[in-house]
Amino acid sequence: MRGGVGHRPTGGPKGARAAVPLLAAAVLGTLAIVTVEQAGCADPGHYVAVPGGYELVGGCLSPDDLVIPAAPAAPTSVLPAAPVPPRS
């Protein structure tokens, strides 16, 4: 029963459907490891208990590396200038 229901076309090797995703995962995993190795830090820092919590001492980040957005402005009121008469 050639070409019927359940017939697989033989366009490529049988293992290609499994090999391509595995190859892609291996390449992406290798890129992730290389990126982490290149972004290494000599002093990863450590946490010290201080009153009210913990503080990170050392590390590769300085306070200037962090961007803190400005607080949003308070919304203005949209009340009418004169009172609105009640509807009947």
Side-chain angles (χ1 to χ4, degrees):
M1 184 151 123
R2 296 189 67 96
V5 176
H7 177 71
R8 283 183 58 188
T10 57
K14 293 181 182 180
R17 291 187 81 176
V20 171
L22 290 175
L23 180 63
V27 169
L28 291 174
T30 303
L31 285 174
I33 291 172
V34 169
T35 301
V36 170
E37 287 293 324
Q38 290 180 353
C41 179
D43 177 22
H46 60 279
Y47 287 98
V48 176
V50 296
Y54 290 91
E55 182 178 326
L56 178 63
V57 177
C60 295
L61 290 177
S62 69
D64 296 334
D65 293 336
L66 303 176
V67 178
I68 301 173
T76 58
S77 177
V78 191
L79 295 177
V84 179
R87 290 187 165 180
S88 51

